[in-house]
Amino acid sequence: MKAVCLLSGGMDSSTLAYLARSKGYDILALHLNYGQRTERKELASAKKIAGLLDAEAFVEINLDYFTKFGASSLTDKGIAVEEFDPARVHMPNTYVPFRNANLLSIATSFAEARGADAIFIGVQSLDYSGYPDCRPEFIAAFQKVIDLGTKDTTKITLFTPFIRMTKTDILREGIRLGVPYEHTWSCYRNEGKACGTCGSCHFRKEAFDTVGIRDPIEYEG
């Protein structure tokens, strides 16, 4: 069995890749550079994780057109990444418009070309994001797109095992699987030491604190 794993190098996608391997899949790692602030660090992390998993392939795709669209603090350097705010009611400015549809379209092409049985993506509908393209309804709709838009003989299942899990749940699963979190990166702002205050850092730190183990990456301050 083969699975295309969307591997950003972050905590969730790395855990996801280890989970896919534990289920018997050979890994076809797909990494997307979309102009995000921590692009180099994420790429290095993704390559490291893919190597540790003996991935059958590591494919890097450039999607820097997202920087031309703007409207996200991840891709537009003129927009500051927001601090985590538990009282926030608006969509975080880290939302990249319709990003996951772009990523999943590329993953589907890769999967069909290589005869893969599955696509794994680490979307999560709980905790921080609230992104519309992480909702279960979106994933169900995209499965229909895959079924309709590929050859009749192609059968690709879209797996989102973390979609109803919290970051703490994901970390517990990763500990069970032996994920080397020292090689992962979650910070939205920095590539040296993690900022510790963006939404992604907040939920990562909270998960490690809840589980009661030390996060192996360095933070500012």
Side-chain angles (χ1 to χ4, degrees):
M1 300 189 300
K2 295 181 183 181
V4 170
C5 290
L6 284 144
L7 184 59
S8 70
M11 180 176 164
D12 297 351
S13 72
S14 298
T15 306
L16 186 80
Y18 271 77
L19 179 63
R21 188 185 66 171
S22 76
K23 292 181 178 297
Y25 287 97
D26 292 328
I27 304 301
L28 300 170
L30 179 62
H31 180 80
L32 293 308
N33 297 315
Y34 56 92
Q36 65 270 41
R37 291 170 183 264
T38 56
E39 186 177 285
R40 289 175 299 177
K41 183 71 172 183
E42 289 182 26
L43 175 59
S45 295
K47 283 183 174 178
K48 180 67 175 181
I49 294 296
L52 291 170
L53 286 170
D54 294 320
E56 182 177 311
F58 181 89
V59 174
E60 175 189 353
I61 302 292
N62 182 24
L63 301 179
D64 64 356
Y65 56 81
F66 278 109
T67 65
K68 299 177 182 179
F69 299 160
S72 170
S73 61
L74 296 191
T75 58
D76 186 340
K77 300 295 173 53
I79 304 173
V81 175
E82 293 175 327
E83 299 282 297
F84 172 74
D85 179 4
R88 173 186 55 78
V89 294
H90 62 275
M91 179 70 63
N93 71 8
T94 50
Y95 169 62
V96 180
F98 213 51
R99 182 191 65 176
N100 285 344
N102 285 257
L103 272 53
L104 285 170
S105 294
I106 294 167
T108 302
S109 293
F110 187 22
E112 187 169 35
R114 296 294 182 93
D117 311 277
I119 296 168
F120 281 76
I121 183 171
V123 293
Q124 178 197 17
S125 60
L126 301 179
D127 284 348
Y128 173 68
S129 69
Y131 299 155
D133 57 355
C134 290
R135 290 179 294 184
E137 297 87 348
F138 171 77
I139 295 302
F142 208 92
Q143 179 68 67
K144 292 182 180 179
V145 170
I146 292 172
D147 295 342
L148 291 170
T150 55
K151 294 182 297 185
D152 290 344
T153 54
T154 295
K155 303 298 177 187
I156 299 169
T157 303
L158 179 54
F159 287 110
T160 58
F162 300 157
I163 199 161
R164 298 188 189 276
M165 292 171 66
T166 66
K167 191 75 76 176
T168 300
D169 295 333
I170 294 168
L171 177 58
R172 288 195 176 106
E173 180 73 355
I175 292 168
R176 182 185 71 81
L177 293 166
V179 178
Y181 286 112
E182 66 271 21
H183 298 307
T184 67
W185 196 252
S186 301
C187 184
Y188 285 148
R189 284 197 184 96
N190 301 339
E191 293 186 315
K193 293 182 179 181
C195 73
T197 58
C198 70
S200 186
C201 280
H202 168 83
F203 281 105
R204 177 177 175 134
K205 290 173 69 178
E206 182 180 67
F208 275 95
D209 288 345
T210 301
V211 171
I213 62 174
R214 186 184 69 84
D215 188 342
I217 69 169
E218 286 190 89
Y219 290 88
E220 292 179 340

mmCIF file with all atom_site columns, all heavy atoms in Angstrom, residues 15-32:
data_model
loop_
_atom_site.group_PDB
_atom_site.id
_atom_site.type_symbol
_atom_site.label_atom_id
_atom_site.label_alt_id
_atom_site.label_comp_id
_atom_site.label_asym_id
_atom_site.label_entity_id
_atom_site.label_seq_id
_atom_site.pdbx_PDB_ins_code
_atom_site.Cartn_x
_atom_site.Cartn_y
_atom_site.Cartn_z
_atom_site.occupancy
_atom_site.B_iso_or_equiv
_atom_site.pdbx_formal_charge
_atom_site.auth_seq_id
_atom_site.auth_comp_id
_atom_site.auth_asym_id
_atom_site.auth_atom_id
_atom_site.pdbx_PDB_model_num
ATOM 1   N N   . THR A 1 15 ? 3.270  13.583 12.901 1.00 0.00 ? 15 THR A N   1
ATOM 2   C CA  . THR A 1 15 ? 2.567  12.506 13.608 1.00 0.00 ? 15 THR A CA  1
ATOM 3   C C   . THR A 1 15 ? 1.729  11.708 12.624 1.00 0.00 ? 15 THR A C   1
ATOM 4   O O   . THR A 1 15 ? 1.668  10.470 12.686 1.00 0.00 ? 15 THR A O   1
ATOM 5   C CB  . THR A 1 15 ? 1.675  13.086 14.721 1.00 0.00 ? 15 THR A CB  1
ATOM 6   O OG1 . THR A 1 15 ? 2.459  13.922 15.578 1.00 0.00 ? 15 THR A OG1 1
ATOM 7   C CG2 . THR A 1 15 ? 1.042  11.974 15.547 1.00 0.00 ? 15 THR A CG2 1
ATOM 8   N N   . LEU A 1 16 ? 1.090  12.404 11.709 1.00 0.00 ? 16 LEU A N   1
ATOM 9   C CA  . LEU A 1 16 ? 0.255  11.759 10.695 1.00 0.00 ? 16 LEU A CA  1
ATOM 10  C C   . LEU A 1 16 ? 1.064  10.793 9.838  1.00 0.00 ? 16 LEU A C   1
ATOM 11  O O   . LEU A 1 16 ? 0.626  9.681  9.551  1.00 0.00 ? 16 LEU A O   1
ATOM 12  C CB  . LEU A 1 16 ? -0.376 12.832 9.815  1.00 0.00 ? 16 LEU A CB  1
ATOM 13  C CG  . LEU A 1 16 ? -1.402 12.352 8.794  1.00 0.00 ? 16 LEU A CG  1
ATOM 14  C CD1 . LEU A 1 16 ? -2.744 12.124 9.468  1.00 0.00 ? 16 LEU A CD1 1
ATOM 15  C CD2 . LEU A 1 16 ? -1.539 13.369 7.667  1.00 0.00 ? 16 LEU A CD2 1
ATOM 16  N N   . ALA A 1 17 ? 2.245  11.208 9.415  1.00 0.00 ? 17 ALA A N   1
ATOM 17  C CA  . ALA A 1 17 ? 3.084  10.347 8.579  1.00 0.00 ? 17 ALA A CA  1
ATOM 18  C C   . ALA A 1 17 ? 3.506  9.092  9.339  1.00 0.00 ? 17 ALA A C   1
ATOM 19  O O   . ALA A 1 17 ? 3.530  7.990  8.777  1.00 0.00 ? 17 ALA A O   1
ATOM 20  C CB  . ALA A 1 17 ? 4.303  11.125 8.092  1.00 0.00 ? 17 ALA A CB  1
ATOM 21  N N   . TYR A 1 18 ? 3.840  9.254  10.612 1.00 0.00 ? 18 TYR A N   1
ATOM 22  C CA  . TYR A 1 18 ? 4.186  8.086  11.430 1.00 0.00 ? 18 TYR A CA  1
ATOM 23  C C   . TYR A 1 18 ? 2.978  7.170  11.596 1.00 0.00 ? 18 TYR A C   1
ATOM 24  O O   . TYR A 1 18 ? 3.113  5.938  11.603 1.00 0.00 ? 18 TYR A O   1
ATOM 25  C CB  . TYR A 1 18 ? 4.718  8.531  12.793 1.00 0.00 ? 18 TYR A CB  1
ATOM 26  C CG  . TYR A 1 18 ? 6.219  8.742  12.801 1.00 0.00 ? 18 TYR A CG  1
ATOM 27  C CD1 . TYR A 1 18 ? 6.780  9.876  12.237 1.00 0.00 ? 18 TYR A CD1 1
ATOM 28  C CD2 . TYR A 1 18 ? 7.077  7.785  13.348 1.00 0.00 ? 18 TYR A CD2 1
ATOM 29  C CE1 . TYR A 1 18 ? 8.151  10.060 12.217 1.00 0.00 ? 18 TYR A CE1 1
ATOM 30  C CE2 . TYR A 1 18 ? 8.452  7.963  13.343 1.00 0.00 ? 18 TYR A CE2 1
ATOM 31  C CZ  . TYR A 1 18 ? 8.987  9.103  12.775 1.00 0.00 ? 18 TYR A CZ  1
ATOM 32  O OH  . TYR A 1 18 ? 10.349 9.275  12.754 1.00 0.00 ? 18 TYR A OH  1
ATOM 33  N N   . LEU A 1 19 ? 1.790  7.752  11.723 1.00 0.00 ? 19 LEU A N   1
ATOM 34  C CA  . LEU A 1 19 ? 0.581  6.950  11.836 1.00 0.00 ? 19 LEU A CA  1
ATOM 35  C C   . LEU A 1 19 ? 0.324  6.171  10.544 1.00 0.00 ? 19 LEU A C   1
ATOM 36  O O   . LEU A 1 19 ? -0.005 4.974  10.585 1.00 0.00 ? 19 LEU A O   1
ATOM 37  C CB  . LEU A 1 19 ? -0.610 7.855  12.140 1.00 0.00 ? 19 LEU A CB  1
ATOM 38  C CG  . LEU A 1 19 ? -1.972 7.170  12.261 1.00 0.00 ? 19 LEU A CG  1
ATOM 39  C CD1 . LEU A 1 19 ? -1.984 6.183  13.427 1.00 0.00 ? 19 LEU A CD1 1
ATOM 40  C CD2 . LEU A 1 19 ? -3.080 8.209  12.437 1.00 0.00 ? 19 LEU A CD2 1
ATOM 41  N N   . ALA A 1 20 ? 0.502  6.833  9.402  1.00 0.00 ? 20 ALA A N   1
ATOM 42  C CA  . ALA A 1 20 ? 0.301  6.152  8.115  1.00 0.00 ? 20 ALA A CA  1
ATOM 43  C C   . ALA A 1 20 ? 1.266  4.976  7.970  1.00 0.00 ? 20 ALA A C   1
ATOM 44  O O   . ALA A 1 20 ? 0.872  3.892  7.531  1.00 0.00 ? 20 ALA A O   1
ATOM 45  C CB  . ALA A 1 20 ? 0.481  7.142  6.969  1.00 0.00 ? 20 ALA A CB  1
ATOM 46  N N   . ARG A 1 21 ? 2.512  5.195  8.358  1.00 0.00 ? 21 ARG A N   1
ATOM 47  C CA  . ARG A 1 21 ? 3.478  4.089  8.262  1.00 0.00 ? 21 ARG A CA  1
ATOM 48  C C   . ARG A 1 21 ? 3.092  2.943  9.179  1.00 0.00 ? 21 ARG A C   1
ATOM 49  O O   . ARG A 1 21 ? 3.217  1.762  8.819  1.00 0.00 ? 21 ARG A O   1
ATOM 50  C CB  . ARG A 1 21 ? 4.888  4.572  8.608  1.00 0.00 ? 21 ARG A CB  1
ATOM 51  C CG  . ARG A 1 21 ? 5.952  3.497  8.325  1.00 0.00 ? 21 ARG A CG  1
ATOM 52  C CD  . ARG A 1 21 ? 7.327  3.896  8.772  1.00 0.00 ? 21 ARG A CD  1
ATOM 53  N NE  . ARG A 1 21 ? 7.411  4.009  10.230 1.00 0.00 ? 21 ARG A NE  1
ATOM 54  C CZ  . ARG A 1 21 ? 8.549  4.174  10.904 1.00 0.00 ? 21 ARG A CZ  1
ATOM 55  N NH1 . ARG A 1 21 ? 9.693  4.261  10.238 1.00 0.00 ? 21 ARG A NH1 1
ATOM 56  N NH2 . ARG A 1 21 ? 8.551  4.271  12.210 1.00 0.00 ? 21 ARG A NH2 1
ATOM 57  N N   . SER A 1 22 ? 2.582  3.271  10.381 1.00 0.00 ? 22 SER A N   1
ATOM 58  C CA  . SER A 1 22 ? 2.187  2.228  11.333 1.00 0.00 ? 22 SER A CA  1
ATOM 59  C C   . SER A 1 22 ? 1.036  1.384  10.812 1.00 0.00 ? 22 SER A C   1
ATOM 60  O O   . SER A 1 22 ? 0.842  0.247  11.251 1.00 0.00 ? 22 SER A O   1
ATOM 61  C CB  . SER A 1 22 ? 1.819  2.852  12.686 1.00 0.00 ? 22 SER A CB  1
ATOM 62  O OG  . SER A 1 22 ? 0.535  3.455  12.647 1.00 0.00 ? 22 SER A OG  1
ATOM 63  N N   . LYS A 1 23 ? 0.273  1.953  9.872  1.00 0.00 ? 23 LYS A N   1
ATOM 64  C CA  . LYS A 1 23 ? -0.841 1.225  9.278  1.00 0.00 ? 23 LYS A CA  1
ATOM 65  C C   . LYS A 1 23 ? -0.415 0.421  8.051  1.00 0.00 ? 23 LYS A C   1
ATOM 66  O O   . LYS A 1 23 ? -1.247 -0.169 7.363  1.00 0.00 ? 23 LYS A O   1
ATOM 67  C CB  . LYS A 1 23 ? -1.960 2.196  8.910  1.00 0.00 ? 23 LYS A CB  1
ATOM 68  C CG  . LYS A 1 23 ? -2.634 2.825  10.137 1.00 0.00 ? 23 LYS A CG  1
ATOM 69  C CD  . LYS A 1 23 ? -3.756 3.753  9.719  1.00 0.00 ? 23 LYS A CD  1
ATOM 70  C CE  . LYS A 1 23 ? -4.468 4.341  10.934 1.00 0.00 ? 23 LYS A CE  1
ATOM 71  N NZ  . LYS A 1 23 ? -5.140 3.292  11.761 1.00 0.00 ? 23 LYS A NZ  1
ATOM 72  N N   . GLY A 1 24 ? 0.882  0.428  7.754  1.00 0.00 ? 24 GLY A N   1
ATOM 73  C CA  . GLY A 1 24 ? 1.403  -0.407 6.689  1.00 0.00 ? 24 GLY A CA  1
ATOM 74  C C   . GLY A 1 24 ? 1.610  0.272  5.351  1.00 0.00 ? 24 GLY A C   1
ATOM 75  O O   . GLY A 1 24 ? 1.932  -0.389 4.356  1.00 0.00 ? 24 GLY A O   1
ATOM 76  N N   . TYR A 1 25 ? 1.449  1.595  5.307  1.00 0.00 ? 25 TYR A N   1
ATOM 77  C CA  . TYR A 1 25 ? 1.624  2.320  4.046  1.00 0.00 ? 25 TYR A CA  1
ATOM 78  C C   . TYR A 1 25 ? 3.087  2.691  3.811  1.00 0.00 ? 25 TYR A C   1
ATOM 79  O O   . TYR A 1 25 ? 3.796  3.085  4.742  1.00 0.00 ? 25 TYR A O   1
ATOM 80  C CB  . TYR A 1 25 ? 0.810  3.618  4.066  1.00 0.00 ? 25 TYR A CB  1
ATOM 81  C CG  . TYR A 1 25 ? -0.680 3.417  3.945  1.00 0.00 ? 25 TYR A CG  1
ATOM 82  C CD1 . TYR A 1 25 ? -1.480 3.391  5.082  1.00 0.00 ? 25 TYR A CD1 1
ATOM 83  C CD2 . TYR A 1 25 ? -1.292 3.258  2.705  1.00 0.00 ? 25 TYR A CD2 1
ATOM 84  C CE1 . TYR A 1 25 ? -2.853 3.211  4.984  1.00 0.00 ? 25 TYR A CE1 1
ATOM 85  C CE2 . TYR A 1 25 ? -2.660 3.076  2.596  1.00 0.00 ? 25 TYR A CE2 1
ATOM 86  C CZ  . TYR A 1 25 ? -3.436 3.049  3.743  1.00 0.00 ? 25 TYR A CZ  1
ATOM 87  O OH  . TYR A 1 25 ? -4.794 2.870  3.636  1.00 0.00 ? 25 TYR A OH  1
ATOM 88  N N   . ASP A 1 26 ? 3.521  2.573  2.561  1.00 0.00 ? 26 ASP A N   1
ATOM 89  C CA  . ASP A 1 26 ? 4.768  3.194  2.127  1.00 0.00 ? 26 ASP A CA  1
ATOM 90  C C   . ASP A 1 26 ? 4.465  4.669  1.899  1.00 0.00 ? 26 ASP A C   1
ATOM 91  O O   . ASP A 1 26 ? 3.418  5.017  1.334  1.00 0.00 ? 26 ASP A O   1
ATOM 92  C CB  . ASP A 1 26 ? 5.270  2.555  0.827  1.00 0.00 ? 26 ASP A CB  1
ATOM 93  C CG  . ASP A 1 26 ? 5.721  1.113  1.019  1.00 0.00 ? 26 ASP A CG  1
ATOM 94  O OD1 . ASP A 1 26 ? 6.222  0.794  2.112  1.00 0.00 ? 26 ASP A OD1 1
ATOM 95  O OD2 . ASP A 1 26 ? 5.542  0.308  0.087  1.00 0.00 ? 26 ASP A OD2 1
ATOM 96  N N   . ILE A 1 27 ? 5.385  5.529  2.327  1.00 0.00 ? 27 ILE A N   1
ATOM 97  C CA  . ILE A 1 27 ? 5.113  6.959  2.349  1.00 0.00 ? 27 ILE A CA  1
ATOM 98  C C   . ILE A 1 27 ? 5.615  7.657  1.093  1.00 0.00 ? 27 ILE A C   1
ATOM 99  O O   . ILE A 1 27 ? 6.785  7.543  0.727  1.00 0.00 ? 27 ILE A O   1
ATOM 100 C CB  . ILE A 1 27 ? 5.757  7.617  3.589  1.00 0.00 ? 27 ILE A CB  1
ATOM 101 C CG1 . ILE A 1 27 ? 5.271  6.928  4.878  1.00 0.00 ? 27 ILE A CG1 1
ATOM 102 C CG2 . ILE A 1 27 ? 5.454  9.113  3.626  1.00 0.00 ? 27 ILE A CG2 1
ATOM 103 C CD1 . ILE A 1 27 ? 3.788  6.959  5.090  1.00 0.00 ? 27 ILE A CD1 1
ATOM 104 N N   . LEU A 1 28 ? 4.704  8.389  0.455  1.00 0.00 ? 28 LEU A N   1
ATOM 105 C CA  . LEU A 1 28 ? 5.043  9.323  -0.612 1.00 0.00 ? 28 LEU A CA  1
ATOM 106 C C   . LEU A 1 28 ? 4.861  10.713 -0.007 1.00 0.00 ? 28 LEU A C   1
ATOM 107 O O   . LEU A 1 28 ? 3.735  11.200 0.130  1.00 0.00 ? 28 LEU A O   1
ATOM 108 C CB  . LEU A 1 28 ? 4.129  9.139  -1.820 1.00 0.00 ? 28 LEU A CB  1
ATOM 109 C CG  . LEU A 1 28 ? 4.148  7.762  -2.493 1.00 0.00 ? 28 LEU A CG  1
ATOM 110 C CD1 . LEU A 1 28 ? 3.011  7.652  -3.505 1.00 0.00 ? 28 LEU A CD1 1
ATOM 111 C CD2 . LEU A 1 28 ? 5.480  7.509  -3.171 1.00 0.00 ? 28 LEU A CD2 1
ATOM 112 N N   . ALA A 1 29 ? 5.956  11.320 0.428  1.00 0.00 ? 29 ALA A N   1
ATOM 113 C CA  . ALA A 1 29 ? 5.873  12.595 1.144  1.00 0.00 ? 29 ALA A CA  1
ATOM 114 C C   . ALA A 1 29 ? 5.724  13.746 0.158  1.00 0.00 ? 29 ALA A C   1
ATOM 115 O O   . ALA A 1 29 ? 6.467  13.841 -0.821 1.00 0.00 ? 29 ALA A O   1
ATOM 116 C CB  . ALA A 1 29 ? 7.117  12.797 2.005  1.00 0.00 ? 29 ALA A CB  1
ATOM 117 N N   . LEU A 1 30 ? 4.762  14.618 0.434  1.00 0.00 ? 30 LEU A N   1
ATOM 118 C CA  . LEU A 1 30 ? 4.509  15.789 -0.410 1.00 0.00 ? 30 LEU A CA  1
ATOM 119 C C   . LEU A 1 30 ? 4.626  17.041 0.454  1.00 0.00 ? 30 LEU A C   1
ATOM 120 O O   . LEU A 1 30 ? 3.886  17.201 1.427  1.00 0.00 ? 30 LEU A O   1
ATOM 121 C CB  . LEU A 1 30 ? 3.112  15.699 -1.028 1.00 0.00 ? 30 LEU A CB  1
ATOM 122 C CG  . LEU A 1 30 ? 2.675  16.861 -1.921 1.00 0.00 ? 30 LEU A CG  1
ATOM 123 C CD1 . LEU A 1 30 ? 3.594  16.994 -3.134 1.00 0.00 ? 30 LEU A CD1 1
ATOM 124 C CD2 . LEU A 1 30 ? 1.224  16.669 -2.365 1.00 0.00 ? 30 LEU A CD2 1
ATOM 125 N N   . HIS A 1 31 ? 5.566  17.909 0.074  1.00 0.00 ? 31 HIS A N   1
ATOM 126 C CA  . HIS A 1 31 ? 5.793  19.142 0.840  1.00 0.00 ? 31 HIS A CA  1
ATOM 127 C C   . HIS A 1 31 ? 5.528  20.338 -0.062 1.00 0.00 ? 31 HIS A C   1
ATOM 128 O O   . HIS A 1 31 ? 6.040  20.412 -1.184 1.00 0.00 ? 31 HIS A O   1
ATOM 129 C CB  . HIS A 1 31 ? 7.228  19.191 1.357  1.00 0.00 ? 31 HIS A CB  1
ATOM 130 C CG  . HIS A 1 31 ? 7.521  20.426 2.150  1.00 0.00 ? 31 HIS A CG  1
ATOM 131 N ND1 . HIS A 1 31 ? 7.156  20.563 3.471  1.00 0.00 ? 31 HIS A ND1 1
ATOM 132 C CD2 . HIS A 1 31 ? 8.134  21.587 1.812  1.00 0.00 ? 31 HIS A CD2 1
ATOM 133 C CE1 . HIS A 1 31 ? 7.535  21.752 3.909  1.00 0.00 ? 31 HIS A CE1 1
ATOM 134 N NE2 . HIS A 1 31 ? 8.128  22.396 2.917  1.00 0.00 ? 31 HIS A NE2 1
ATOM 135 N N   . LEU A 1 32 ? 4.743  21.288 0.432  1.00 0.00 ? 32 LEU A N   1
ATOM 136 C CA  . LEU A 1 32 ? 4.365  22.458 -0.351 1.00 0.00 ? 32 LEU A CA  1
ATOM 137 C C   . LEU A 1 32 ? 4.966  23.724 0.247  1.00 0.00 ? 32 LEU A C   1
ATOM 138 O O   . LEU A 1 32 ? 4.721  24.038 1.409  1.00 0.00 ? 32 LEU A O   1
ATOM 139 C CB  . LEU A 1 32 ? 2.834  22.605 -0.398 1.00 0.00 ? 32 LEU A CB  1
ATOM 140 C CG  . LEU A 1 32 ? 2.001  21.555 -1.155 1.00 0.00 ? 32 LEU A CG  1
ATOM 141 C CD1 . LEU A 1 32 ? 2.508  21.360 -2.561 1.00 0.00 ? 32 LEU A CD1 1
ATOM 142 C CD2 . LEU A 1 32 ? 1.912  20.238 -0.413 1.00 0.00 ? 32 LEU A CD2 1
#
